[in-house]
């Protein structure tokens, strides 16, 4: 009788262990699925990150190019302003000389 009781107890214990193992297996499967999802999410995030890095590089290159073009335009403006000032100065000189000639003509006359 005692052996039967022990056997019954051991069977219940074994069944409990099997149920516990089943729940652990289900938990492991759920965690594995979660890990798979997280890996996929990580991969997508890394792809987005790489895309953003490339966009930043393109924008940086555009900025450098624009900055260089702006610098060239400033040099052109400075050269044109210098040329303009030179022309204005030359024109003033010519006007001044003409005024002097006119004064001399009137003084002579």
């Amino acid at each position: 009788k005692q052996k039967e009781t022990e056997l019954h107890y051991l069977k219940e214990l074994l069944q409990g262990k099997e149920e516990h193992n089943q729940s652990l297996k289900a938990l492991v499967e759920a965690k594995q699925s979660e890990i798979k999802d997280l890996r996929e999410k990580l991969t997508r995030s890394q792809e987005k990150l790489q895309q953003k890095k490339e966009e930043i590089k393109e924008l940086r290159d555009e900025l450098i190019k624009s900055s260089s073009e702006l610098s060239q335009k400033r040099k052109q403006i400075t050269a044109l302003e210098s040329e303009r000032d030179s022309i204005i100065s030359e024109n003033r000189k010519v006007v001044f000389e003409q005024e002097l000639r006119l004064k001399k003509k009137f003084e002579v006359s």
Side-chain angles (χ1 to χ4, degrees):
K1 177 93 176 163
Q2 186 182 356
K3 291 280 183 191
E4 284 181 25
T5 305
E6 285 179 12
L7 185 60
H8 180 69
Y9 171 76
L10 289 174
K11 282 183 181 178
E12 284 182 4
L13 187 63
L14 181 61
Q15 184 180 352
K17 293 285 183 185
E18 286 174 354
E19 288 172 2
H20 183 68
N21 281 349
Q22 288 298 341
S23 66
L24 285 178
K25 282 181 183 177
L27 182 62
V28 166
E29 287 174 8
K31 291 296 180 185
Q32 285 174 335
S33 177
E34 188 178 331
I35 288 169
K36 182 183 174 214
D37 291 345
L38 288 172
R39 282 187 176 142
E40 289 171 359
K41 188 175 181 181
L42 175 62
T43 299
R44 286 192 301 273
S45 293
Q46 287 172 330
E47 289 168 354
K48 284 181 184 176
L49 176 62
Q50 186 59 36
Q51 183 181 1
K52 292 298 177 189
K53 283 180 179 180
E54 288 170 11
E55 288 176 19
I56 288 170
K57 184 187 180 305
E58 288 172 11
L59 288 172
R60 191 174 284 138
D61 290 347
E62 281 182 39
L63 179 62
I64 290 169
K65 182 181 175 190
S66 295
S67 179
S68 176
E69 288 173 356
L70 180 61
S71 178
Q72 288 291 73
K73 296 291 181 191
R74 283 186 177 141
K75 287 177 184 175
Q76 288 175 348
I77 288 170
T78 301
L80 289 171
E81 286 174 339
S82 178
E83 189 177 335
R84 178 203 61 199
D85 292 346
S86 191
I87 291 169
I88 290 171
S89 179
E90 185 63 30
N91 285 347
R92 285 183 180 151
K93 184 178 170 187
V94 169
V95 168
F96 180 73
E97 288 173 355
Q98 286 176 346
E99 285 176 349
L100 277 180
R101 280 192 222 123
L102 281 175
K103 279 184 183 178
K104 286 182 182 178
K105 271 189 179 180
F106 282 120
E107 286 175 7
V108 170
S109 305

